[in-house]
Every structure is written in structure tokens, then in C-alpha cells.
């Protein structure tokens, strides 16, 4: 599959320092910051610093170092936030997944019981 990256997306602008963010954790390959419209007491977005549009682009094309750095950030976010009782990790993808920002991001949401996934079964 062909993945075309738009470098004008809002997370690319955050990575370039053009838009501020509330950073939770950062390493060489990933940045984690609070979602601007939190849907749970903990709602952090983790993004790779590389130009990947979606989780399947990242899984297929990111280097082993980038993938390790990304998941090190996932571990650090889970350690740094109040999700000991559990959380949900979500990567909305393209149109059917209702992805708004075309730069791969993983939502980490927790701090309360979240309810079942996919209430809309249409
Ligand atoms: P998605 O629908 O999975 O693409 O989610 C995009 C997420 O990015 C939403 O939860 C937004 O609230 C969040 N978001 C958009 N702009 C910003 C921003 N400038 N800083 C932090 N989060 C943002």
C-alpha cells in the first residue's frame, strides 16, 4: 500500500515546534503529549517523530529503532500517568477508523472505567 504523508498536518507542526504542546514524555523517536480535548482523566497521544500516516504505515515502514523508541514511549507514558487500573490504547486509522490527524498517533486513555468499545454497531 502507498502511504502519502501531508507535512502540513497538525502533529507535524507540533514536531517542528510551530504549535505548542503539553509534553508528557519525549525520546529520540517519539513524543507524547496531552490531548487538547481529553475524553478521560488521562488522555495522552503518542506519536513517532518520523513521517508516518497511520499505524499500518508505521508497522510496515518504520525502522526497528523507531519502533522500539515508540514503544519505549508507550511504557514511559503508562508509568508516568495514573493508569495502573487499566486503560485503552487506540489508533484510529483512515476514513473507516475516523482518523482526523494523518500522522500516526496512539491514544492512551484511562483514569476511569471507559465503557465498552464500539457502541455503534451499524
Ligand atoms: P484522531 O481522531 O484519532 O485522529 O484523533 C486526533 C486527536 O488529536 C483528537 O483527540 C484531538 O483532540 C487531538 N488534537 C488535535 N489537535 C491537537 C493539539 N494541537 N494538541 C493536542 N491534541 C490535539
Amino acid at each position: 500500500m502507498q502511504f502519502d504523508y501531508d507535512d502540513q498536518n497538525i502533529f507535524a507542526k507540533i514536531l517542528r515546534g510551530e504549535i505548542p504542546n503539553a509534553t508528557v514524555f519525549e525520546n529520540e523517536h517519539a513524543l507524547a503529549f496531552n490531548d487538547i480535548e481529553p475524553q478521560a482523566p488521562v488522555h495522552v497521544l503518542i506519536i513517532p517523530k518520523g513521517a508516518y500516516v497511520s499505524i499500518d504505515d508505521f508497522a510496515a515502514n518504520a525502522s526497528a529503532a523507531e519502533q522500539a523508541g515508540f514503544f519505549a514511549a508507550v511504557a514511559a507514558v503508562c508509568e508516568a500517568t495514573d493508569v495502573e487500573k487499566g486503560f485503552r490504547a487506540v489508533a484510529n486509522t483512515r476514513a473507516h477508523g475516523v482518523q482526523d490527524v494523518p500522522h500516526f498517533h496512539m491514544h492512551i486513555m484511562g483514569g476511569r472505567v471507559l465503557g465498552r468499545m464500539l457502541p455503534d454497531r451499524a
Side-chain angles (χ1 to χ4, degrees), residues 11 22 24 32-46 77 81-83 87-88 90 92 105-112 114:
F11 294 167
V24 174
F33 52 91
N34 286 316
D35 195 292
I36 204 166
E37 283 185 48
Q39 296 182 36
V42 175
H43 190 166
V44 177
L45 301 173
I46 306 169
V77 167
T81 57
D82 182 21
V83 295
F87 62 94
R88 183 164 295 146
V90 170
N92 297 320
H105 49 283
M106 180 175 286
H107 299 254
I108 300 289
M109 294 169 285
R112 64 169 171 84
L114 296 167

PDB file of all heavy atoms in Angstrom, residues 11 22 24 32-46 77 81-83 87-88 90 92 105-112 114:
ATOM      1  N   PHE A  11       0.100  17.532  13.753  1.00  0.00           N
ATOM      2  CA  PHE A  11       1.149  16.908  14.569  1.00  0.00           C
ATOM      3  C   PHE A  11       2.530  17.133  13.954  1.00  0.00           C
ATOM      4  O   PHE A  11       3.525  17.235  14.686  1.00  0.00           O
ATOM      5  CB  PHE A  11       0.859  15.421  14.781  1.00  0.00           C
ATOM      6  CG  PHE A  11      -0.394  15.165  15.604  1.00  0.00           C
ATOM      7  CD1 PHE A  11      -0.951  13.900  15.658  1.00  0.00           C
ATOM      8  CD2 PHE A  11      -1.011  16.180  16.316  1.00  0.00           C
ATOM      9  CE1 PHE A  11      -2.101  13.654  16.416  1.00  0.00           C
ATOM     10  CE2 PHE A  11      -2.166  15.958  17.065  1.00  0.00           C
ATOM     11  CZ  PHE A  11      -2.711  14.689  17.110  1.00  0.00           C
ATOM     12  N   ALA A  22       1.530  20.065  25.352  1.00  0.00           N
ATOM     13  CA  ALA A  22       1.787  19.754  26.759  1.00  0.00           C
ATOM     14  C   ALA A  22       2.497  18.406  26.803  1.00  0.00           C
ATOM     15  O   ALA A  22       1.868  17.338  26.883  1.00  0.00           O
ATOM     16  CB  ALA A  22       0.478  19.725  27.537  1.00  0.00           C
ATOM     17  N   VAL A  24       4.326  15.120  27.771  1.00  0.00           N
ATOM     18  CA  VAL A  24       4.353  14.176  28.886  1.00  0.00           C
ATOM     19  C   VAL A  24       5.681  13.418  28.894  1.00  0.00           C
ATOM     20  O   VAL A  24       6.253  13.137  29.946  1.00  0.00           O
ATOM     21  CB  VAL A  24       3.178  13.184  28.776  1.00  0.00           C
ATOM     22  CG1 VAL A  24       3.256  12.088  29.833  1.00  0.00           C
ATOM     23  CG2 VAL A  24       1.845  13.927  28.869  1.00  0.00           C
ATOM     24  N   ALA A  32       5.191  12.351  23.345  1.00  0.00           N
ATOM     25  CA  ALA A  32       3.887  12.100  23.964  1.00  0.00           C
ATOM     26  C   ALA A  32       3.403  13.396  24.594  1.00  0.00           C
ATOM     27  O   ALA A  32       4.169  14.093  25.274  1.00  0.00           O
ATOM     28  CB  ALA A  32       4.003  11.002  25.015  1.00  0.00           C
ATOM     29  N   PHE A  33       2.140  13.719  24.354  1.00  0.00           N
ATOM     30  CA  PHE A  33       1.591  14.980  24.887  1.00  0.00           C
ATOM     31  C   PHE A  33       0.115  14.788  25.183  1.00  0.00           C
ATOM     32  O   PHE A  33      -0.547  13.883  24.646  1.00  0.00           O
ATOM     33  CB  PHE A  33       1.813  16.132  23.885  1.00  0.00           C
ATOM     34  CG  PHE A  33       1.349  15.868  22.487  1.00  0.00           C
ATOM     35  CD1 PHE A  33       0.073  16.203  22.067  1.00  0.00           C
ATOM     36  CD2 PHE A  33       2.198  15.242  21.563  1.00  0.00           C
ATOM     37  CE1 PHE A  33      -0.357  15.942  20.779  1.00  0.00           C
ATOM     38  CE2 PHE A  33       1.779  14.986  20.266  1.00  0.00           C
ATOM     39  CZ  PHE A  33       0.493  15.337  19.872  1.00  0.00           C
ATOM     40  N   ASN A  34      -0.410  15.673  26.038  1.00  0.00           N
ATOM     41  CA  ASN A  34      -1.820  15.574  26.419  1.00  0.00           C
ATOM     42  C   ASN A  34      -2.717  15.960  25.257  1.00  0.00           C
ATOM     43  O   ASN A  34      -2.447  16.942  24.545  1.00  0.00           O
ATOM     44  CB  ASN A  34      -2.109  16.482  27.616  1.00  0.00           C
ATOM     45  CG  ASN A  34      -1.557  15.915  28.906  1.00  0.00           C
ATOM     46  OD1 ASN A  34      -1.692  14.721  29.175  1.00  0.00           O
ATOM     47  ND2 ASN A  34      -0.916  16.751  29.692  1.00  0.00           N
ATOM     48  N   ASP A  35      -3.806  15.199  25.084  1.00  0.00           N
ATOM     49  CA  ASP A  35      -4.798  15.541  24.073  1.00  0.00           C
ATOM     50  C   ASP A  35      -5.467  16.861  24.458  1.00  0.00           C
ATOM     51  O   ASP A  35      -5.789  17.098  25.618  1.00  0.00           O
ATOM     52  CB  ASP A  35      -5.845  14.422  23.957  1.00  0.00           C
ATOM     53  CG  ASP A  35      -6.672  14.540  22.686  1.00  0.00           C
ATOM     54  OD1 ASP A  35      -7.469  15.504  22.573  1.00  0.00           O
ATOM     55  OD2 ASP A  35      -6.512  13.682  21.792  1.00  0.00           O
ATOM     56  N   ILE A  36      -5.687  17.710  23.464  1.00  0.00           N
ATOM     57  CA  ILE A  36      -6.250  19.037  23.712  1.00  0.00           C
ATOM     58  C   ILE A  36      -7.727  18.955  24.097  1.00  0.00           C
ATOM     59  O   ILE A  36      -8.257  19.870  24.729  1.00  0.00           O
ATOM     60  CB  ILE A  36      -6.025  19.933  22.471  1.00  0.00           C
ATOM     61  CG1 ILE A  36      -6.045  21.409  22.854  1.00  0.00           C
ATOM     62  CG2 ILE A  36      -7.021  19.631  21.364  1.00  0.00           C
ATOM     63  CD1 ILE A  36      -5.499  22.315  21.747  1.00  0.00           C
ATOM     64  N   GLU A  37      -8.389  17.875  23.748  1.00  0.00           N
ATOM     65  CA  GLU A  37      -9.799  17.660  24.122  1.00  0.00           C
ATOM     66  C   GLU A  37      -9.926  16.303  24.801  1.00  0.00           C
ATOM     67  O   GLU A  37     -10.415  15.329  24.194  1.00  0.00           O
ATOM     68  CB  GLU A  37     -10.707  17.689  22.877  1.00  0.00           C
ATOM     69  CG  GLU A  37     -10.988  19.068  22.355  1.00  0.00           C
ATOM     70  CD  GLU A  37     -11.986  19.044  21.191  1.00  0.00           C
ATOM     71  OE1 GLU A  37     -13.035  18.372  21.320  1.00  0.00           O
ATOM     72  OE2 GLU A  37     -11.690  19.664  20.173  1.00  0.00           O
ATOM     73  N   PRO A  38      -9.467  16.218  26.057  1.00  0.00           N
ATOM     74  CA  PRO A  38      -9.397  14.904  26.719  1.00  0.00           C
ATOM     75  C   PRO A  38     -10.767  14.257  26.878  1.00  0.00           C
ATOM     76  O   PRO A  38     -11.744  14.912  27.227  1.00  0.00           O
ATOM     77  CB  PRO A  38      -8.762  15.225  28.075  1.00  0.00           C
ATOM     78  CG  PRO A  38      -8.948  16.689  28.270  1.00  0.00           C
ATOM     79  CD  PRO A  38      -8.989  17.304  26.915  1.00  0.00           C
ATOM     80  N   GLN A  39     -10.825  12.966  26.604  1.00  0.00           N
ATOM     81  CA  GLN A  39     -12.069  12.200  26.742  1.00  0.00           C
ATOM     82  C   GLN A  39     -12.048  11.311  27.977  1.00  0.00           C
ATOM     83  O   GLN A  39     -12.962  10.512  28.196  1.00  0.00           O
ATOM     84  CB  GLN A  39     -12.297  11.373  25.473  1.00  0.00           C
ATOM     85  CG  GLN A  39     -12.506  12.258  24.256  1.00  0.00           C
ATOM     86  CD  GLN A  39     -12.792  11.459  23.003  1.00  0.00           C
ATOM     87  OE1 GLN A  39     -13.450  10.437  23.054  1.00  0.00           O
ATOM     88  NE2 GLN A  39     -12.291  11.932  21.876  1.00  0.00           N
ATOM     89  N   ALA A  40     -11.007  11.451  28.775  1.00  0.00           N
ATOM     90  CA  ALA A  40     -10.867  10.686  30.018  1.00  0.00           C
ATOM     91  C   ALA A  40      -9.880  11.455  30.889  1.00  0.00           C
ATOM     92  O   ALA A  40      -9.150  12.321  30.375  1.00  0.00           O
ATOM     93  CB  ALA A  40     -10.351   9.282  29.714  1.00  0.00           C
ATOM     94  N   PRO A  41      -9.835  11.171  32.207  1.00  0.00           N
ATOM     95  CA  PRO A  41      -8.890  11.892  33.072  1.00  0.00           C
ATOM     96  C   PRO A  41      -7.448  11.801  32.574  1.00  0.00           C
ATOM     97  O   PRO A  41      -6.694  12.768  32.680  1.00  0.00           O
ATOM     98  CB  PRO A  41      -9.073  11.201  34.427  1.00  0.00           C
ATOM     99  CG  PRO A  41     -10.485  10.712  34.401  1.00  0.00           C
ATOM    100  CD  PRO A  41     -10.732  10.294  32.974  1.00  0.00           C
ATOM    101  N   VAL A  42      -7.060  10.659  32.043  1.00  0.00           N
ATOM    102  CA  VAL A  42      -5.774  10.526  31.339  1.00  0.00           C
ATOM    103  C   VAL A  42      -6.084  10.383  29.858  1.00  0.00           C
ATOM    104  O   VAL A  42      -6.852   9.500  29.453  1.00  0.00           O
ATOM    105  CB  VAL A  42      -4.988   9.284  31.814  1.00  0.00           C
ATOM    106  CG1 VAL A  42      -3.718   9.096  30.982  1.00  0.00           C
ATOM    107  CG2 VAL A  42      -4.654   9.383  33.298  1.00  0.00           C
ATOM    108  N   HIS A  43      -5.549  11.274  29.049  1.00  0.00           N
ATOM    109  CA  HIS A  43      -5.704  11.151  27.588  1.00  0.00           C
ATOM    110  C   HIS A  43      -4.441  11.728  26.950  1.00  0.00           C
ATOM    111  O   HIS A  43      -4.291  12.937  26.766  1.00  0.00           O
ATOM    112  CB  HIS A  43      -6.949  11.886  27.092  1.00  0.00           C
ATOM    113  CG  HIS A  43      -7.275  11.583  25.658  1.00  0.00           C
ATOM    114  ND1 HIS A  43      -8.482  11.892  25.081  1.00  0.00           N
ATOM    115  CD2 HIS A  43      -6.537  10.975  24.670  1.00  0.00           C
ATOM    116  CE1 HIS A  43      -8.490  11.504  23.817  1.00  0.00           C
ATOM    117  NE2 HIS A  43      -7.311  10.953  23.537  1.00  0.00           N
ATOM    118  N   VAL A  44      -3.533  10.820  26.642  1.00  0.00           N
ATOM    119  CA  VAL A  44      -2.229  11.190  26.089  1.00  0.00           C
ATOM    120  C   VAL A  44      -2.133  10.646  24.673  1.00  0.00           C
ATOM    121  O   VAL A  44      -2.606   9.532  24.392  1.00  0.00           O
ATOM    122  CB  VAL A  44      -1.086  10.616  26.973  1.00  0.00           C
ATOM    123  CG1 VAL A  44       0.274  10.938  26.370  1.00  0.00           C
ATOM    124  CG2 VAL A  44      -1.186  11.161  28.398  1.00  0.00           C
ATOM    125  N   LEU A  45      -1.534  11.432  23.790  1.00  0.00           N
ATOM    126  CA  LEU A  45      -1.247  10.985  22.423  1.00  0.00           C
ATOM    127  C   LEU A  45       0.237  10.710  22.312  1.00  0.00           C
ATOM    128  O   LEU A  45       1.055  11.522  22.761  1.00  0.00           O
ATOM    129  CB  LEU A  45      -1.641  12.071  21.420  1.00  0.00           C
ATOM    130  CG  LEU A  45      -3.103  12.500  21.436  1.00  0.00           C
ATOM    131  CD1 LEU A  45      -3.300  13.705  20.518  1.00  0.00           C
ATOM    132  CD2 LEU A  45      -4.012  11.352  21.024  1.00  0.00           C
ATOM    133  N   ILE A  46       0.588   9.574  21.724  1.00  0.00           N
ATOM    134  CA  ILE A  46       1.995   9.232  21.488  1.00  0.00           C
ATOM    135  C   ILE A  46       2.197   9.178  19.991  1.00  0.00           C
ATOM    136  O   ILE A  46       1.448   8.480  19.282  1.00  0.00           O
ATOM    137  CB  ILE A  46       2.357   7.885  22.132  1.00  0.00           C
ATOM    138  CG1 ILE A  46       1.985   7.909  23.619  1.00  0.00           C
ATOM    139  CG2 ILE A  46       3.846   7.581  21.944  1.00  0.00           C
ATOM    140  CD1 ILE A  46       2.056   6.560  24.288  1.00  0.00           C
ATOM    141  N   VAL A  77       4.871   6.540  29.237  1.00  0.00           N
ATOM    142  CA  VAL A  77       3.595   7.221  29.482  1.00  0.00           C
ATOM    143  C   VAL A  77       2.756   6.424  30.478  1.00  0.00           C
ATOM    144  O   VAL A  77       2.168   6.984  31.407  1.00  0.00           O
ATOM    145  CB  VAL A  77       2.832   7.440  28.154  1.00  0.00           C
ATOM    146  CG1 VAL A  77       1.384   7.837  28.400  1.00  0.00           C
ATOM    147  CG2 VAL A  77       3.548   8.487  27.308  1.00  0.00           C
ATOM    148  N   THR A  81       1.614   8.114  34.153  1.00  0.00           N
ATOM    149  CA  THR A  81       0.228   8.541  34.328  1.00  0.00           C
ATOM    150  C   THR A  81      -0.513   7.532  35.207  1.00  0.00           C
ATOM    151  O   THR A  81      -0.009   6.443  35.494  1.00  0.00           O
ATOM    152  CB  THR A  81      -0.489   8.658  32.964  1.00  0.00           C
ATOM    153  OG1 THR A  81      -0.414   7.397  32.292  1.00  0.00           O
ATOM    154  CG2 THR A  81       0.149   9.733  32.091  1.00  0.00           C
ATOM    155  N   ASP A  82      -1.726   7.908  35.602  1.00  0.00           N
ATOM    156  CA  ASP A  82      -2.483   7.103  36.559  1.00  0.00           C
ATOM    157  C   ASP A  82      -3.334   6.071  35.820  1.00  0.00           C
ATOM    158  O   ASP A  82      -4.551   6.200  35.729  1.00  0.00           O
ATOM    159  CB  ASP A  82      -3.361   8.039  37.398  1.00  0.00           C
ATOM    160  CG  ASP A  82      -4.148   7.279  38.445  1.00  0.00           C
ATOM    161  OD1 ASP A  82      -3.747   6.148  38.805  1.00  0.00           O
ATOM    162  OD2 ASP A  82      -5.184   7.810  38.893  1.00  0.00           O
ATOM    163  N   VAL A  83      -2.681   5.053  35.277  1.00  0.00           N
ATOM    164  CA  VAL A  83      -3.420   4.034  34.522  1.00  0.00           C
ATOM    165  C   VAL A  83      -3.174   2.626  35.070  1.00  0.00           C
ATOM    166  O   VAL A  83      -3.397   1.641  34.372  1.00  0.00           O
ATOM    167  CB  VAL A  83      -3.101   4.092  33.004  1.00  0.00           C
ATOM    168  CG1 VAL A  83      -3.582   5.399  32.412  1.00  0.00           C
ATOM    169  CG2 VAL A  83      -1.627   3.869  32.728  1.00  0.00           C
ATOM    170  N   PHE A  87      -6.413   0.904  31.022  1.00  0.00           N
ATOM    171  CA  PHE A  87      -6.521   2.000  30.067  1.00  0.00           C
ATOM    172  C   PHE A  87      -6.911   1.423  28.714  1.00  0.00           C
ATOM    173  O   PHE A  87      -7.004   0.201  28.538  1.00  0.00           O
ATOM    174  CB  PHE A  87      -5.194   2.777  29.960  1.00  0.00           C
ATOM    175  CG  PHE A  87      -4.030   1.952  29.467  1.00  0.00           C
ATOM    176  CD1 PHE A  87      -3.710   1.944  28.115  1.00  0.00           C
ATOM    177  CD2 PHE A  87      -3.281   1.175  30.337  1.00  0.00           C
ATOM    178  CE1 PHE A  87      -2.638   1.183  27.652  1.00  0.00           C
ATOM    179  CE2 PHE A  87      -2.216   0.412  29.877  1.00  0.00           C
ATOM    180  CZ  PHE A  87      -1.890   0.415  28.530  1.00  0.00           C
ATOM    181  N   ARG A  88      -7.143   2.303  27.756  1.00  0.00           N
ATOM    182  CA  ARG A  88      -7.388   1.860  26.389  1.00  0.00           C
ATOM    183  C   ARG A  88      -6.363   2.524  25.476  1.00  0.00           C
ATOM    184  O   ARG A  88      -6.140   3.736  25.568  1.00  0.00           O
ATOM    185  CB  ARG A  88      -8.811   2.219  25.952  1.00  0.00           C
ATOM    186  CG  ARG A  88      -9.153   1.714  24.550  1.00  0.00           C
ATOM    187  CD  ARG A  88     -10.659   1.728  24.318  1.00  0.00           C
ATOM    188  NE  ARG A  88     -11.323   0.792  25.198  1.00  0.00           N
ATOM    189  CZ  ARG A  88     -12.555   0.974  25.727  1.00  0.00           C
ATOM    190  NH1 ARG A  88     -13.245   2.048  25.436  1.00  0.00           N
ATOM    191  NH2 ARG A  88     -13.081   0.064  26.517  1.00  0.00           N
ATOM    192  N   VAL A  90      -5.662   3.271  21.530  1.00  0.00           N
ATOM    193  CA  VAL A  90      -6.442   3.341  20.291  1.00  0.00           C
ATOM    194  C   VAL A  90      -5.608   4.016  19.204  1.00  0.00           C
ATOM    195  O   VAL A  90      -4.943   5.017  19.456  1.00  0.00           O
ATOM    196  CB  VAL A  90      -7.738   4.154  20.518  1.00  0.00           C
ATOM    197  CG1 VAL A  90      -8.452   4.454  19.209  1.00  0.00           C
ATOM    198  CG2 VAL A  90      -8.666   3.428  21.473  1.00  0.00           C
ATOM    199  N   ASN A  92      -6.866   5.234  15.709  1.00  0.00           N
ATOM    200  CA  ASN A  92      -7.842   5.424  14.641  1.00  0.00           C
ATOM    201  C   ASN A  92      -7.109   5.526  13.306  1.00  0.00           C
ATOM    202  O   ASN A  92      -6.083   6.192  13.212  1.00  0.00           O
ATOM    203  CB  ASN A  92      -8.649   6.701  14.901  1.00  0.00           C
ATOM    204  CG  ASN A  92      -9.455   6.618  16.173  1.00  0.00           C
ATOM    205  OD1 ASN A  92     -10.033   5.589  16.486  1.00  0.00           O
ATOM    206  ND2 ASN A  92      -9.491   7.713  16.941  1.00  0.00           N
ATOM    207  N   HIS A 105      -0.797   8.269  15.475  1.00  0.00           N
ATOM    208  CA  HIS A 105      -0.812   8.580  16.901  1.00  0.00           C
ATOM    209  C   HIS A 105      -1.561   7.481  17.627  1.00  0.00           C
ATOM    210  O   HIS A 105      -2.543   6.947  17.128  1.00  0.00           O
ATOM    211  CB  HIS A 105      -1.447   9.942  17.195  1.00  0.00           C
ATOM    212  CG  HIS A 105      -2.763  10.163  16.530  1.00  0.00           C
ATOM    213  ND1 HIS A 105      -2.884  10.475  15.191  1.00  0.00           N
ATOM    214  CD2 HIS A 105      -4.031  10.107  17.017  1.00  0.00           C
ATOM    215  CE1 HIS A 105      -4.165  10.610  14.884  1.00  0.00           C
ATOM    216  NE2 HIS A 105      -4.888  10.376  15.969  1.00  0.00           N
ATOM    217  N   MET A 106      -1.080   7.156  18.812  1.00  0.00           N
ATOM    218  CA  MET A 106      -1.775   6.217  19.681  1.00  0.00           C
ATOM    219  C   MET A 106      -2.360   7.007  20.843  1.00  0.00           C
ATOM    220  O   MET A 106      -1.653   7.755  21.507  1.00  0.00           O
ATOM    221  CB  MET A 106      -0.814   5.144  20.193  1.00  0.00           C
ATOM    222  CG  MET A 106      -1.487   4.128  21.110  1.00  0.00           C
ATOM    223  SD  MET A 106      -0.353   2.800  21.554  1.00  0.00           S
ATOM    224  CE  MET A 106      -0.313   1.876  20.015  1.00  0.00           C
ATOM    225  N   HIS A 107      -3.686   6.851  21.026  1.00  0.00           N
ATOM    226  CA  HIS A 107      -4.334   7.439  22.200  1.00  0.00           C
ATOM    227  C   HIS A 107      -4.137   6.483  23.379  1.00  0.00           C
ATOM    228  O   HIS A 107      -4.395   5.278  23.248  1.00  0.00           O
ATOM    229  CB  HIS A 107      -5.843   7.568  21.985  1.00  0.00           C
ATOM    230  CG  HIS A 107      -6.279   8.445  20.854  1.00  0.00           C
ATOM    231  ND1 HIS A 107      -6.831   9.694  21.051  1.00  0.00           N
ATOM    232  CD2 HIS A 107      -6.281   8.255  19.511  1.00  0.00           C
ATOM    233  CE1 HIS A 107      -7.159  10.228  19.878  1.00  0.00           C
ATOM    234  NE2 HIS A 107      -6.836   9.371  18.919  1.00  0.00           N
ATOM    235  N   ILE A 108      -3.731   7.018  24.511  1.00  0.00           N
ATOM    236  CA  ILE A 108      -3.741   6.274  25.773  1.00  0.00           C
ATOM    237  C   ILE A 108      -4.768   6.966  26.666  1.00  0.00           C
ATOM    238  O   ILE A 108      -4.580   8.134  27.043  1.00  0.00           O
ATOM    239  CB  ILE A 108      -2.363   6.281  26.465  1.00  0.00           C
ATOM    240  CG1 ILE A 108      -1.292   5.639  25.557  1.00  0.00           C
ATOM    241  CG2 ILE A 108      -2.444   5.584  27.825  1.00  0.00           C
ATOM    242  CD1 ILE A 108      -1.406   4.148  25.383  1.00  0.00           C
ATOM    243  N   MET A 109      -5.868   6.268  26.940  1.00  0.00           N
ATOM    244  CA  MET A 109      -6.967   6.865  27.712  1.00  0.00           C
ATOM    245  C   MET A 109      -7.242   6.015  28.937  1.00  0.00           C
ATOM    246  O   MET A 109      -7.351   4.781  28.835  1.00  0.00           O
ATOM    247  CB  MET A 109      -8.231   6.946  26.848  1.00  0.00           C
ATOM    248  CG  MET A 109      -8.077   7.911  25.676  1.00  0.00           C
ATOM    249  SD  MET A 109      -9.426   7.780  24.488  1.00  0.00           S
ATOM    250  CE  MET A 109      -8.998   6.249  23.661  1.00  0.00           C
ATOM    251  N   GLY A 110      -7.370   6.679  30.088  1.00  0.00           N
ATOM    252  CA  GLY A 110      -7.634   5.944  31.315  1.00  0.00           C
ATOM    253  C   GLY A 110      -7.992   6.884  32.444  1.00  0.00           C
ATOM    254  O   GLY A 110      -8.343   8.039  32.221  1.00  0.00           O
ATOM    255  N   GLY A 111      -7.912   6.344  33.656  1.00  0.00           N
ATOM    256  CA  GLY A 111      -8.264   7.139  34.824  1.00  0.00           C
ATOM    257  C   GLY A 111      -9.708   6.976  35.245  1.00  0.00           C
ATOM    258  O   GLY A 111     -10.139   7.557  36.244  1.00  0.00           O
ATOM    259  N   ARG A 112     -10.466   6.231  34.470  1.00  0.00           N
ATOM    260  CA  ARG A 112     -11.845   5.874  34.836  1.00  0.00           C
ATOM    261  C   ARG A 112     -12.232   4.638  34.026  1.00  0.00           C
ATOM    262  O   ARG A 112     -11.545   4.294  33.048  1.00  0.00           O
ATOM    263  CB  ARG A 112     -12.822   7.016  34.540  1.00  0.00           C
ATOM    264  CG  ARG A 112     -12.964   7.376  33.072  1.00  0.00           C
ATOM    265  CD  ARG A 112     -14.131   8.329  32.844  1.00  0.00           C
ATOM    266  NE  ARG A 112     -14.177   8.868  31.492  1.00  0.00           N
ATOM    267  CZ  ARG A 112     -14.729   8.265  30.432  1.00  0.00           C
ATOM    268  NH1 ARG A 112     -15.244   7.056  30.566  1.00  0.00           N
ATOM    269  NH2 ARG A 112     -14.729   8.840  29.245  1.00  0.00           N
ATOM    270  N   LEU A 114     -13.948   2.985  31.155  1.00  0.00           N
ATOM    271  CA  LEU A 114     -14.194   3.643  29.868  1.00  0.00           C
ATOM    272  C   LEU A 114     -15.460   3.180  29.157  1.00  0.00           C
ATOM    273  O   LEU A 114     -15.890   3.789  28.189  1.00  0.00           O
ATOM    274  CB  LEU A 114     -12.990   3.410  28.943  1.00  0.00           C
ATOM    275  CG  LEU A 114     -11.696   4.037  29.460  1.00  0.00           C
ATOM    276  CD1 LEU A 114     -10.513   3.509  28.674  1.00  0.00           C
ATOM    277  CD2 LEU A 114     -11.766   5.549  29.380  1.00  0.00           C
TER     278      LEU A 114
END
